Amino acid sequence: MLIERLSSKTKVLDELLSGGIENGVITNFYGPAGSGKTNICLLFTLSALKKGKVAYVDTESGFSTERFFQMGGTKEDLQNVIYEHPSNFQEQELSLQKLKNIEGLSLIVVDSFVSLYRLLLNDENITNINRELAGQMAYLSNLSKEKKIPVIITNQVYNVNSNEIELSGRDVVKYWSKCLIEIKKSDENRRLAIIRKHRSQPEGKKVEFELTATGIEKAKFKIF
Ligand SMILES: Nc1ncnc2c1ncn2[C@@H]1O[C@H](COP(=O)(O)OP(=O)(O)O)[C@@H](O)[C@H]1O
Ligand SMILES: [Mg+2]
């Protein structure tokens, strides 16, 4: 089976992912606020718009049309973005359900997959809410297979101790994400993207990038 990939249209991320994100599976970009997750979603959105429509489920009002235009998007491109803006976890479920009947999708983005889940979560409902989370992941995984398109989710993290982080949604999101990419700040302007799980690339493979006026670029060598 030939696995087709969606290019990020940036050398640095395509180098990391050996061409791009895979069709038919969920790719999860996780990291702290400000690490660049939404920027990465926008890059893949722009790339996918060359092939079809993009469903963008935005739970954090992170989609900036200004940033979209900075990265080369046009007003015509925006018309092919199916934008969903759920405000609670139940609405997120409804937003996702709508996607199965949309023809011509080339990418589904859920940015962030876990922020509304986190808002709802408490000690009493954790079992039920985790079941719903797993249900949404299974559903997205099926959609990506049926439609032969990539799915991107983003994921917040929390600190377990001073040098360990954990993904919100933990085992549920890790199990269903066939590709896990950690994004972290290496200094104020620089970010590291590290492969943590992949079907054909080594764990620990990493690249360093910078967020620039027009998108993302490979970090330049530092001159001390
Ligand atoms: N035009 C720009 N030039 C450089 N950096 C930018 C630009 N626009 C946004 N950024 C940077 O992008 C970062 C936020 O990235 P974002 O993808 O929203 O993070 P996350 O989704 O992980 O919270 C901020 O550090 C911000 O300064
Ligand atoms: Mg974001």
Side-chain angles (χ1 to χ4, degrees):
M1 186 181 70
L2 179 72
I3 296 167
E4 285 186 44
R5 286 185 161 86
L6 175 70
S7 163
S8 66
K9 304 281 186 209
T10 69
K11 270 195 193 151
V12 63
L13 289 179
D14 282 1
E15 176 191 318
L16 179 76
L17 296 163
S18 146
I21 54 171
E22 293 178 344
N23 281 351
V25 297
I26 299 171
T27 297
N28 182 335
F29 291 96
Y30 68 92
S35 55
K37 301 183 295 298
T38 298
N39 272 275
I40 291 171
C41 292
L42 291 176
L43 283 173
F44 281 108
T45 295
L46 282 160
S47 171
L49 284 169
K50 305 266 181 270
K51 302 182 177 189
K53 290 182 253 179
V54 174
Y56 201 106
V57 182
D58 181 10
T59 67
E60 298 186 312
S61 303
F63 189 104
S64 156
T65 47
E66 193 175 334
R67 190 68 179 133
F68 183 84
F69 294 145
Q70 285 175 5
M71 290 173 158
T74 63
K75 285 190 174 154
E76 291 71 48
D77 287 331
L78 268 188
Q79 283 168 1
N80 286 314
V81 177
I82 295 149
Y83 183 77
E84 287 284 328
H85 191 214
S87 54
N88 59 53
F89 195 52
Q90 243 40 60
E91 282 183 21
Q92 175 170 319
E93 169 86 32
L94 296 175
S95 294
L96 297 182
Q97 285 299 331
K98 283 186 203 165
L99 306 182
K100 64 171 173 272
N101 298 322
I102 301 173
E103 299 291 325
L105 281 183
S106 56
L107 172 68
I108 294 168
V109 177
V110 189
D111 179 26
S112 144
F113 183 68
V114 291
S115 56
L116 300 173
Y117 155 85
R118 288 211 306 189
L119 280 178
L120 192 62
L121 197 65
N122 60 42
D123 290 339
E124 272 107 67
N125 66 13
I126 185 158
T127 311
N128 285 336
I129 302 302
N130 272 342
R131 196 175 295 132
E132 281 183 40
L133 192 76
Q136 290 191 8
M137 284 299 266
Y139 166 83
L140 280 174
S141 174
N142 273 333
L143 266 193
S144 69
K145 277 194 197 75
E146 272 168 29
K147 293 185 182 288
K148 300 185 177 63
I149 58 170
V151 170
I152 295 175
I153 65 170
T154 65
N155 210 132
Q156 280 101 329
V157 294
Y158 60 91
N159 281 86
V160 180
N161 55 45
S162 56
N163 50 30
E164 222 185 320
I165 56 160
E166 177 58 276
L167 282 77
S168 297
R170 295 162 56 156
D171 292 350
V172 173
V173 289
K174 286 190 243 172
Y175 174 78
W176 286 103
S177 306
K178 287 286 170 259
C179 175
L180 284 167
I181 311 288
E182 180 179 359
I183 313 291
K184 58 185 186 184
K185 294 183 185 179
S186 45
D187 77 29
E188 206 176 319
N189 300 317
R190 287 165 181 249
R191 307 287 187 270
L192 275 175
I194 310 164
I195 291 182
R196 295 300 186 197
K197 176 179 172 183
H198 199 288
R199 299 191 294 180
S200 64
Q201 298 297 312
E203 283 170 27
K205 182 179 177 185
K206 60 184 172 215
V207 292
E208 198 173 23
F209 66 87
E210 286 172 15
L211 298 158
T212 69
T214 55
I216 280 177
E217 271 168 42
K218 191 166 188 160
K220 293 172 191 72
F221 285 111
K222 275 190 196 167
I223 301 161
F224 291 97

